[in-house]
Amino acid sequence: MVQVYPDQKGRYGDFGGKYVPETLMAPLQELEEALDEAMADKDFIAEYHHVLEKYAGRPTALTHADKITDLLGGAKIYLKREDLLHTGAHKLNNAIGQALLAKRMGKSKIIAETGAGQHGVASATVAAKFGLECKVFMGEEDIRRQEPNVFRMKMLGAEVIPVSSGRGTLKDATNEAIRYWVANCEDHFYLIGSVVGPHPYPRMVRDFQRIIGDESKRQFLEGEPTLPDYIYACVGGGSNAIGMFHPFLEDDVELIGVEAAGKGVDTEEHAATLTKGDRGVIHGSLTFLLQDEHGQITEPYSISAGLDYPGIGPEHAYLFDSKQVRYEAVTDEEAMDALKLLTETEGIIPAVESAHALAQAFKEAKDLPRDKTILINLSGRGDKDLATIMNHFKGEE
Amino acid sequence: MLTQTLFQGKLSKTEDLFIPFIEAGDPSPEVTIELALKLQEAGADILELGIPYSDPLADGPTIQRAAKRALDNGMSLKQAIELIPTMREKGLTIPVVVFTYYNPVLRIGEETFFELLEEHGAEGVLIPDLPYEESESVRELALKHEIEYISLVAPNSEARIQKIASEARGFLYCVSTLGVTGGENQLSSEVTHFIEKVKKHSPVPVAVGFGISTNDDVRMIREHADGVIIGSKIIRLVEAEVENLKDEHKREAALDRFYNNVRELVE
C-alpha cells in the first residue's frame, strides 16, 4: 500500500509544511477547506474539465516524434504537447483550476508571481476570462528579458508590478507577492504558479496539473501496448513534472526530472536545486534549496527564466530523497542544442525550459534499444524565447 | 494574571514595556553594540536583536534594506549571537531576544542554535516564519535551554489565540495589522479589541508591534497593551544617521541624536 502524500500537516515525508507568518495561517486554512470542498464537488470538477476542453484546448496531442527517433537511432520518442495549450504552456491548467476556486470562494482579486511570464500570462488570461482583477509580481530582470510576455499581460488587463529586490527574478517576485498577500489576504486570492509554497499549494497545483499525466497515460496506450519505459520533464518549481509524473508513480516507469545546470553544476551559475542544494525553507515550505553556509538563500542562474529558481516543490524533494524519481541537470548549452535539433527535425520550437527535458532524453535515447519507449513532456512553446534563442545562436549563421 | 518567571527573572516589570528592534550588523557590528546600549539608556526593557536574512518574508522595505546592509558586511547568525557577550561587558543588562527567520536556524541546526544562545547569554528567541504548528521541536529546545520562545498572534488568528497564548513565554507578540513590518497604516480601533481579547488568555505580558512609528501610536498602544515593539521606525532612525554612525569621528554625536529621537518617540 502506497502512502498518500501529503499527510494532514501538508508533509511529503520530511518535506512541505507551512513555514509562514502567523497572519497567513488563517487564509491558508480557509483555502484548504474551500479546496477540499471543491475537489469533492463533481460540479466543480466538471466545470474545470469543461473549461480545459472548450477554452484551453485539451486534450493536447501526443506526438510520435519519428524523425528525431530515426536520427538518434535508439528508443522510440513521444512528445506530450503542452506547447499546444492556449497561452503556450502547461501553466494554464493550474491557472484555470485556481481561478475557478477563487470565484467559488467569492474572491474577485487575484495576485500571481511570474518568472518567464508564462504563469503571469496564464493568470492574466483567466482573470480576463472570469472577470477577476489581477496583479502580477515580476522581477525587474525578468521584465527585461521577457518583454513580450509583459506586454501580453498588460493587454489582458493585468497590472504588472516590478520587483527590484534581490536580483529581480522569480524568487524576489514570489517574496513580494507573499508580502502583498499577507496585507491583503482578506479579499485577495494568491494564485501560485508552481508546486511550491506552503500547504495546500503544492498539492493543489499538482492536482490541477496531473491532467497532463492522466491524458498521457490514456493516449500512450492507444498507440503502444505498454506504458513508456522512461518519462522526462524539466523541473524549476516543478509543476509540469509533477503533473506528468504523478499518475505514473506506482507504475513500472522510470521518471526523470531535469534541472537547469546553467553554465555547469561545478560553477556558481546554475539552478540545480536537488543536484547541488541542501535542505531548507523557502517560500513557506521545507524542501531543497540553493543556500550558503549561513542559510542565506543564494541567487540561481539559468538561461531559462522559468527554471531560474533557488527552490523546488517539496514533493520533488521527497521523490528525490526517496529515490522514486531520478534527477539530472542539463546546461544552457545542451538545452539550446536540443532546442535547435527539435526545431529542425520535428518543426516544433520548444520553450527553453522544455528543451532541458529534451536534452537529457536525447542523450539517453541514443543508447537505448529500439524497443524501448520514451515520453517527454514538452511543457511549452518557444515563441516567448525568440530573443534569447537569437541571442544564443548569434554568430553561428 | 501573570504566572511565569520572565526572562530568567531579568525582566523586572511587566507593564509599560518598550521593546525596540535593531538589525545586527547594520551598519556595522560595533555600531550595533553602541545602539543597543543607547536604547537601554533610552528606556528599553527588552532588546530585539534581528538576524539579517536574504528573504525576510514578514518584513517591509525598511527592514529589508537594513538586512541588506548587514549582509553586505558579512553578518551571520552565529556572528550576531556572538555580539551579545560584548554588549554585556559594556553594560547591557536588559534581556535580549534574538529575532531570526527559520532557515538560518535549520542550517546551523536547532540544537546548535540553542546551545549558542545559551552560551552567549540570550534570553529569548522569536522566529516569525515558524507558526505554532511547526514549532514543537524548537519550543521544547527553548524550554530545555531556558530561553523564552516568543509567540505571535495576528488579528485573524481568532480561534488560534487561545492555543498560542496558552503556551506563550516571555511576552506575547501581537501583530497590530495584517501586513508586513513598517506599514504606515493608521492603527484602527479594532486593535484595542484584539489586544483585550489576547490579554484575557495570556499568561505573559502582551506587547504590540508592526507599524508603530509615532509618539501617538506609542501612547495609544500603551493604554491597552503591556508593551510596545518598535522596529522599522528605529531602523529608519539608524538609517538617517547611517553615514555618521560609520564614521568614528561623527559616531558619538550621531548616537546622541539617535538617543534623543528615541526618547521623543517613547516619551
Side-chain angles (χ1 to χ4, degrees), chain A residues 127-285:
Chain A
K129 175 69 179 164
F130 298 119
L132 306 167
E133 198 182 304
C134 178
K135 284 190 175 65
V136 181
F137 293 82
M138 188 169 187
E140 282 182 343
E141 165 67 13
D142 287 338
I143 288 180
R144 195 189 54 72
R145 58 180 167 174
Q146 303 289 337
E147 204 188 340
N149 271 345
V150 176
F151 185 69
R152 288 167 82 193
M153 285 183 262
K154 288 181 178 165
M155 259 191 89
L156 289 159
E159 185 187 347
V160 179
I161 300 172
V163 174
S164 60
S165 56
R167 247 188 228 171
T169 60
L170 180 56
K171 168 183 85 109
D172 314 296
T174 308
N175 285 339
E176 219 44 61
I178 293 175
R179 289 184 185 117
Y180 187 87
W181 192 39
V182 170
N184 299 280
C185 55
E186 280 172 322
D187 59 344
H188 283 65
F189 185 100
Y190 180 20
L191 209 166
I192 293 187
S194 192
V195 284
V196 300
H199 178 66
Y201 278 102
R203 187 190 78 197
M204 171 166 66
V205 178
R206 174 193 80 196
D207 290 346
F208 287 139
Q209 289 292 3
R210 65 168 291 159
I211 184 84
I212 303 172
D214 285 334
E215 263 177 32
S216 297
K217 207 170 191 174
R218 182 168 51 73
Q219 291 169 320
F220 204 85
L221 292 175
E222 282 164 13
E224 292 287 333
T226 57
L227 291 176
D229 296 297
Y230 303 86
I231 302 181
Y232 297 82
C234 65
V235 184
S239 70
N240 89 77
I242 283 284
M244 174 58 100
F245 293 166
H246 208 263
F248 290 95
L249 276 174
E250 289 169 39
D251 297 315
D252 186 22
V253 176
E254 187 171 354
L255 305 171
I256 301 103
V258 185
E259 304 191 296
K263 297 184 177 168
V265 288
D266 296 325
T267 72
E268 300 275 295
E269 295 180 87
H270 62 77
T273 309
L274 292 175
T275 311
K276 300 289 282 189
D278 296 288
R279 282 170 194 239
V281 165
I282 182 170
H283 298 141
S285 155

Side-chain angles (χ1 to χ4, degrees), chain A residues 9 11 17-23 25-27 165 171 175-176 178-179 182-183 185-186 278-281 283-284 286 289 291-297, chain B residues 52-60 64 71 75-76 102-104 106-107 128-134 152-154 156-157 160 164 175 177-180:
Chain A
K9 290 184 80 182
R11 293 276 174 180
K18 288 184 195 175
Y19 294 87
V20 293
E22 172 62 23
T23 318
M25 293 303 278
S165 56
K171 168 183 85 109
N175 285 339
E176 219 44 61
I178 293 175
R179 289 184 185 117
V182 170
C185 55
E186 280 172 322
D278 296 288
R279 282 170 194 239
V281 165
H283 298 141
L286 179 66
L289 60 117
Q291 55 183 320
D292 70 12
E293 57 179 313
H294 304 297
Q296 306 290 344
I297 299 175
Chain B
Y53 185 52
S54 56
D55 295 77
L57 271 187
D59 286 306
Q64 290 174 43
L71 288 174
M75 183 50 67
S76 70
Y102 185 51
N103 198 51
L106 199 60
R107 184 68 175 167
D129 56 348
L130 201 63
Y132 181 85
E133 286 78 354
E134 304 288 2
L152 292 95
V153 287
N156 58 0
S157 294
R160 299 166 52 79
I164 296 169
V175 176
T177 54
L178 299 178
V180 292

Side-chain angles (χ1 to χ4, degrees), chain B residues 18-34:
Chain B
F18 166 39
I19 309 171
F21 169 98
I22 50 172
E23 190 87 312
D26 170 34
S28 73
E30 307 80 62
V31 173
T32 299
I33 292 163
E34 296 300 324

Side-chain angles (χ1 to χ4, degrees), chain B residues 1-266:
Chain B
M1 204 182 69
L2 306 179
T3 55
Q4 297 179 14
T5 306
L6 303 169
F7 298 98
Q8 304 163 15
K10 285 186 186 124
L11 188 63
S12 50
K13 59 178 193 172
T14 56
E15 53 188 10
D16 200 18
L17 301 172
F18 166 39
I19 309 171
F21 169 98
I22 50 172
E23 190 87 312
D26 170 34
S28 73
E30 307 80 62
V31 173
T32 299
I33 292 163
E34 296 300 324
L35 290 170
L37 294 165
K38 277 290 170 205
L39 286 167
Q40 174 173 270
E41 205 183 319
D45 299 293
I46 299 169
L47 177 73
E48 249 191 70
L49 183 64
I51 310 299
Y53 185 52
S54 56
D55 295 77
L57 271 187
D59 286 306
T62 305
I63 293 180
Q64 290 174 43
R65 285 196 302 273
K68 184 161 191 319
R69 285 193 294 269
L71 288 174
D72 288 347
N73 291 337
M75 183 50 67
S76 70
L77 176 67
K78 187 159 179 285
Q79 271 179 283
I81 295 170
E82 286 167 354
L83 295 178
I84 300 171
T86 320
M87 291 176 181
R88 298 286 184 219
E89 275 165 34
K90 293 195 163 188
L92 192 82
T93 56
I94 57 174
V96 175
V97 171
V98 168
F99 174 110
T100 177
Y101 284 86
Y102 185 51
N103 198 51
V105 175
L106 199 60
R107 184 68 175 167
I108 202 169
E110 288 180 353
E111 188 84 51
T112 310
F113 173 63
F114 278 96
E115 281 164 13
L116 275 174
L117 291 179
E118 189 177 350
E119 187 189 332
H120 292 86
E123 282 82 9
V125 63
L126 192 165
I127 308 179
D129 56 348
L130 201 63
Y132 181 85
E133 286 78 354
E134 304 288 2
S135 64
E136 201 181 322
S137 61
V138 169
R139 276 184 281 129
E140 272 170 24
L141 281 167
L143 275 179
K144 181 177 144 196
H145 290 269
E146 291 183 54
I147 304 283
E148 309 283 30
Y149 178 78
I150 311 297
S151 300
L152 292 95
V153 287
N156 58 0
S157 294
E158 301 291 340
R160 299 166 52 79
I161 292 177
Q162 206 167 341
K163 178 171 65 179
I164 296 169
S166 71
E167 299 214 24
R169 312 283 307 178
F171 65 85
L172 185 54
Y173 193 132
C174 273
V175 176
S176 69
T177 54
L178 299 178
V180 292
T181 57
E184 296 277 323
N185 299 353
Q186 202 72 32
L187 292 172
S188 69
S189 57
E190 283 162 38
V191 177
T192 57
H193 291 296
F194 170 49
I195 298 169
E196 298 303 335
K197 192 156 52 166
V198 176
K199 278 178 82 170
K200 243 185 272 165
H201 297 292
S202 180
V204 292
V206 170
V208 177
F210 280 48
I212 294 167
S213 62
T214 66
N215 183 253
D216 284 348
D217 294 342
V218 172
R219 282 168 195 265
M220 184 214 162
I221 294 299
R222 265 189 191 143
E223 265 180 51
H224 301 277
D226 305 312
V228 54
I229 304 157
I230 311 180
S232 295
K233 178 64 188 179
I234 300 279
I235 299 292
R236 284 197 288 271
L237 295 176
V238 173
E239 207 163 43
E241 296 284 355
V242 79
E243 289 310 315
N244 295 326
L245 287 167
K246 281 197 273 191
D247 184 333
E248 264 179 65
H249 303 288
K250 295 180 182 165
R251 187 173 299 161
E252 210 177 306
L255 284 167
D256 288 340
R257 286 192 295 274
F258 173 76
Y259 169 86
N260 289 332
N261 287 328
V262 173
R263 284 300 309 161
E264 263 175 46
L265 186 63
V266 295

